[in-house]
Amino acid sequence: MADYRLLIGGELVDGDATMEVINPATEEVLAVCPRGSERQLNAAVAAAKSAFKGWAKTPMAGRRALVLKLADAIEARTEEFARLLTQEQGKPLAESTAEISYTAAFLRYLGGLDLANRLIEDNETRRVEMRRKPLGVVGCIIPWNFPVLIVAFKAPLALIAGNTIVIKPAPTTPLTTLRLGELCAEIFPPGVVNIVTDNNDLGGVLTAHPDVAKISFTGSTETGKKVMASAASTIKRITLELGGNDAAIVLGDVDPKAAAAGIFGGATMNAGQVCLAIKRVYAHESIYDALCDELAVLADAAVVDDGLMQGVQIGPLQNKAQYEKVKGFLEDARADGKIIAGGVVEDRPGYFIRPTIVRDITDGARLVDEEQFGPILPVISFTDAEEALDRANASPWGLGGSVWSKDRDRAYALACEMESGTVWINKHLDFGPNIPFGGAKQSGIGVEFAEEGLHEFTQLQVINEAR
Ligand code: NAD
């Protein structure tokens, strides 16, 4: 068949089966692509295992050079990859183009990091050195919201540290990753990078595999718990980047119009399917009406359509299951609050839901308490900022959050009290490869990006020598 192939042991191969990939803007079949089998996943792990020794012994400069070569190769195909990404994922072309550019930028930055040994003591009695060694085969499990960029959160760190990898894309967004595999096949020695697709049936096989030393997982908290349980049988290392229910706390001294613009962008990027999106807004009662009105204006004006069309701000939800889930939230929100913009499921092909602002809603409503992962934003009124903080912190999640105020000291003090891995002041959704990123509470375990992220792909070893 196939225009698309898996990457196993350096070979681009057909899957043992096939599956259809749907364009969420049209609900039409975009491509038939390979679906890997358990046999093929095991073959990928075996290939990664046999490539490990040679790769781990390759000097770090050599490993880095290949990661940087991949960054160049991706950048050279930005236009083609971005178009394909929009077709399989749904996001507007400008967002897809940014995702591919960020992918190259993350590969470059993270691929350029250094991993030096550290001399802890060297005296007349002993010499103690700390080294960081690769772990072995790393499984990288990817969700469908940023199918390409999230590969670049994991792969460069795993690879420069000397690990070999097996990447498993999400079943609804495998295509651009398989194109990436074609580049990897030309750049890396056989077995160093492997890509196997599935239909949501091989993740558990990878996480339980005795020859996989670490799982780097990004996805829902629910699946993260399964990964954690499954990794226990072999004491695998795990990094879990999971869900979130980020709160934005907006104090009474803000300009509602300016704050609304930042908040709306932070809530509706990628149709709200961002782990770090604003998913609930706590607004001080003095600006509550004005902020709700400004958010409604932006929601009404938003251009929602096929991401390939010019000027589109918000594309469809990525897949049918997510679309049905978000529609369920919409129905509950009708009963729990007042919809002042959106609330419409368009009667057309494609998984489109207009951005929706819900006011007069409060904690306890499903839209406030759970992660909707869609373009529906609840706005909750508060009187006292400390109380808003307590309500924000009452969530089992703790990925991101933000405080909006003209009073920098007040905002900073509240930010420090927020129980989340990242807190922004007067913005949301700003991150970079040099800034460690990780979740508090049920939003995850471990850190990605920067040196802290690199260390997670290593085993610390101490050499303690008598003098
Ligand atoms: P998901 O958990 O359903 O799937 C994620 C990946 O896990 C997919 O590749 C899937 O095939 C795989 N998987 C399914 N069952 C598995 C199992 N038993 N063992 C191992 N892997 C398995 O998540 P999703 O719906 O694809 O993504 C949306 C979720 O991801 C949201 O909750 C979002 O907040 C979260 N997310 C978090 C971050 C972050 O960095 N914290 C980033 C993006 C998305």
Side-chain angles (χ1 to χ4, degrees), residues 398-443:
L399 196 55
S402 54
V403 182
W404 301 68
S405 172
K406 283 187 183 142
D407 180 344
R408 190 263 168 195
D409 292 346
R410 179 94 181 98
Y412 182 82
L414 287 166
C416 292
E417 293 300 318
M418 255 187 160
E419 294 170 1
S420 23
T422 301
V423 186
W424 291 281
I425 296 176
N426 293 325
K427 59 181 177 178
H428 206 103
L429 261 181
D430 174 27
F431 64 96
N434 55 333
I435 306 170
F437 164 57
K441 302 194 279 189
Q442 291 190 29
S443 286

Side-chain angles (χ1 to χ4, degrees), residues 141-146 150 153 168-171 198 200 203-204 207 217-221 223-224 226-227 241-244 274-275 279 322 371 373 399 437 443 448:
I141 301 181
I142 311 295
W144 43 256
N145 59 345
F146 291 89
I150 291 176
F153 290 177
K168 196 205 78 58
D198 74 338
N200 257 339
T207 57
F217 172 84
T218 302
S220 62
T221 297
T223 310
K226 290 187 196 156
V227 172
E241 293 295 351
L242 307 177
V274 183
C275 55
K279 293 180 183 134
Q322 186 63 21
E371 184 190 39
F373 223 56
L399 196 55
F437 164 57
S443 286
E448 293 198 294

Side-chain angles (χ1 to χ4, degrees), residues 28-49:
E28 284 167 5
V29 176
L30 171 63
V32 174
C33 96
R35 172 180 170 184
S37 63
E38 187 164 344
R39 178 193 74 78
Q40 289 183 306
L41 186 79
N42 288 333
V45 173
K49 188 180 175 189

Side-chain angles (χ1 to χ4, degrees), residues 212-360:
V212 173
K214 179 187 167 93
I215 294 289
S216 179
F217 172 84
T218 302
S220 62
T221 297
E222 204 183 323
T223 310
K225 288 177 185 173
K226 290 187 196 156
V227 172
M228 201 167 172
S230 161
S233 61
T234 51
I235 316 285
K236 275 186 189 55
R237 277 63 186 143
I238 48 173
T239 301
L240 303 177
E241 293 295 351
L242 307 177
N245 194 14
D246 286 16
I249 299 179
V250 188
L251 303 190
D253 62 358
V254 300
D255 167 11
K257 192 171 180 151
I263 290 168
F264 187 74
T268 58
M269 181 190 181
N270 199 12
Q273 303 164 116
V274 183
C275 55
L276 283 166
I278 298 174
K279 293 180 183 134
R280 45 193 175 131
V281 178
Y282 290 91
H284 189 261
E285 57 187 4
S286 63
I287 46 104
Y288 183 73
D289 290 339
L291 187 73
C292 287
D293 291 348
E294 292 294 348
L295 286 168
V297 167
L298 295 169
D300 284 337
V303 182
V304 180
D305 214 321
D306 185 331
L308 284 183
M309 288 172 60
Q310 279 259 318
V312 167
Q313 283 166 269
I314 300 177
L317 277 293
Q318 199 282 314
N319 58 68
K320 189 160 174 56
Q322 186 63 21
Y323 176 62
E324 296 300 337
K325 185 177 146 192
V326 175
K327 279 202 297 189
F329 274 101
L330 200 55
E331 285 322 304
D332 287 356
R334 263 185 235 293
D336 294 337
K338 184 174 169 201
I339 293 177
I340 53 169
V344 180
V345 176
E346 290 179 18
D347 183 20
R348 58 178 281 190
Y351 308 134
F352 293 98
I353 294 183
R354 281 205 63 82
T356 299
I357 307 298
V358 186
R359 59 168 290 165
D360 303 334

